[in-house]
Each structure stands twice: as structure tokens, then as C-alpha cells.
Amino acid sequence: MRNRFDEELNSLNTQLINMGSLCEQAIRNATQALSDGDQGKARNVILEDGAIDQAERDIESLCFRLLLQQQPVARDLRQISAALKMITDMERIGDQASDIAEIIISAKMAEKGRFPKIDEMSQAASAMVTESVTAFVNKDLELAGRVESNDDVVDLMFESIKSKLIEEIGKGNDEIAQRSIDLIMIAKYLERIGDHATNIAEWVVFSITGVHEGGIDTKKLTPNGVEEGRVYASADTAKPEK
């Protein structure tokens, strides 16, 4: 019975990795559509969002089946509960990649352009998504903490891009102003993707420790993965379970 349960938990991890890959691909394709001025690629991002939605439904069904048909112990219950929370954020990441694609289409961004800062921000946000899922699968508290720290980096990127584009708006050219507003919105969606990746990382911490407070200081981690000075919920969650 336990072997069957463990197999399904492994399937859960595999499906989460696949959903994370779909999110990463959506972010990458949306940003590439912007750089290439490729309306067709932007439309494909919107169409492919359905695959992310389906992945959410499949994982949700698996989680409910595990909860109803099995009797998970506290550690397993946290893992399943965290997965249910994570897929909500992952689905929103897919939606925001689609939002970027919709801006590209509605603004008729059909010319190639160089947006190195937005490309850099996209790569950083995408890496946060991948690393947050990896942290869950590997039960890696330190990696989850790095994802949370990297949210500050993405936020600073957004502020830098916004400030630069606001300067462009102030130059008084209507076409440049509208383009700058569209780019600010795209950068904002990337910043929100970073926020969702941070949410995922916080649920990773919960799945390991039983604590969901947000923010973990990796410099204070003891060898068994417990953060010094943190008060844990109960004896069951006093330390990460192997």
C-alpha cells in the first residue's frame, strides 16, 4: 500500500516538474515574441496556456485522490497540501505570460527590437520558477531561500526598467510614450511572475518544516535544515523529515 502511495507521490513530483517546464517555456516564448516582433509566436503563447490549465487540473485530481484514498502522515499531507497551493501560482504564471502575449498583439508590436533589460528580467523570473519547483521535489530549503532572495533582484530590475521608461514617456512623443507604457506593463507582469515563484518557494518551506511565514534566512540554517531562532508549530514539525 505504501509502495503504491510513494509511486503516486513520485508521479506528483514529475507532473509538477512538467508544469513548471510549461510555465518556463511560456515565459521564454512571450519574451522572444517581444524581441522578434512575432505576432504568431505571441498567439501560440495564448493558445498553449490551455496546456498549463490542464496540468493544473490533472495535478489537482491526483492530489485529491491521494487525500481521499490514502491516509497520509503529517509529512505527506504537507507535501500534498503544498502542491495544491503551488499549482494555483503556476497557473497564474501561465496567465501572466499570456497577458504579455496579448499586449504584444494588441499593441501591434511587429518589429524586431532589443530589450536587454526585459530579457534579463525574464530570465531571472523564469529561473525562479524552475528553482522553486526543483526545491520542492528535492526538499531543498536552501534553494527555496535563494528563490525568495532573488525576488528582491527581480523587483529592483522592474524599478530600474520602469524609471528608464518613464523618462521616455516624458519626452513628449506619443508613439514612444505608448510603447513605453506597454513595456512597463510587460515588465510588471514579469515582476508578478517573480512574486508567484516566491509564493511557491514559501510553500516549499511549509512542505518541509510545517511553517508558512514567508522568508527564510539560509545563513541561519542548521545542518538538519532548521532555521535558528524560528519557532516551529509542533513537535511533528520541529525539523524537516527525511
Side-chain angles (χ1 to χ4, degrees):
M1 191 69 152
R2 179 69 202 189
N3 288 342
R4 173 65 177 168
F5 184 70
D6 287 340
E7 287 174 5
E8 292 196 306
L9 284 178
N10 288 334
S11 176
L12 173 61
N13 288 339
T14 299
Q15 290 185 49
L16 283 168
I17 291 170
N18 290 340
M19 187 175 180
S21 296
L22 290 172
C23 291
E24 183 183 3
Q25 182 180 350
I27 299 165
R28 182 173 59 251
N29 287 346
T31 309
Q32 193 65 53
L34 173 66
S35 298
D36 293 347
D38 191 333
Q39 300 276 300
K41 184 170 286 186
R43 281 190 286 272
N44 284 338
V45 171
I46 296 170
L47 291 172
E48 290 166 4
D49 185 47
I52 295 175
D53 293 342
Q54 184 61 52
E56 180 192 26
R57 289 191 290 270
D58 291 344
I59 294 170
E60 187 177 59
S61 294
L62 174 57
C63 287
F64 285 140
R65 187 166 69 249
L66 288 169
L67 290 171
L68 294 172
Q69 295 180 355
Q70 307 289 344
Q71 293 182 329
V73 297
R75 177 191 59 192
D76 299 328
L77 184 60
R78 292 198 303 268
Q79 183 178 354
I80 297 165
S81 300
L84 283 168
K85 294 291 188 178
M86 289 165 58
I87 58 175
T88 299
D89 281 294
M90 293 165 78
E91 190 274 335
R92 290 297 299 133
I93 288 168
D95 288 346
Q96 280 152 3
S98 292
D99 290 336
I100 291 171
E102 287 176 1
I103 290 174
I104 294 167
I105 294 168
S106 63
K108 297 181 171 60
M109 294 181 173
E111 295 180 1
K112 288 189 177 183
R114 285 185 55 78
F115 309 98
K117 292 295 183 182
I118 288 181
D119 288 343
E120 183 182 357
M121 189 178 178
S122 171
Q123 290 169 15
S126 182
M128 287 177 67
V129 175
T130 301
E131 289 173 358
S132 63
V133 176
T134 300
F136 177 81
V137 171
N138 294 338
K139 298 179 174 58
D140 190 334
L141 267 178
E142 185 175 355
L143 183 56
R146 286 206 301 271
V147 171
E148 293 184 72
S149 297
N150 286 338
D151 187 43
D152 293 335
V153 176
V154 172
D155 288 347
L156 287 172
M157 287 180 178
F158 171 67
E159 291 300 329
S160 175
I161 291 169
K162 183 175 71 172
S163 296
K164 181 74 173 177
L165 290 170
I166 287 173
E167 288 179 14
E168 295 295 318
I169 293 171
K171 292 180 179 178
N173 183 303
D174 288 346
E175 184 177 345
I176 291 176
Q178 184 56 56
R179 184 178 181 84
S180 296
I181 291 170
D182 291 333
L183 291 173
I184 287 173
M185 288 303 302
I186 287 172
K188 183 61 180 176
Y189 284 128
L190 290 171
E191 188 263 343
R192 288 178 181 171
I193 286 171
D195 289 343
H196 284 295
T198 300
N199 291 345
I200 294 170
E202 290 174 1
W203 285 112
V204 172
V205 174
F206 168 79
S207 73
I208 300 168
T209 67
V211 176
H212 184 262
E213 295 178 355
I216 184 167
D217 188 347
T218 57
K219 293 179 181 178
K220 295 182 179 179
L221 288 181
T222 62
N224 65 354
V226 176
E227 186 181 355
E228 293 176 358
R230 184 180 288 271
V231 178
Y232 288 87
S234 66
D236 173 65
T237 58
K239 63 181 181 179
E241 299 179 57
K242 301 296 183 183

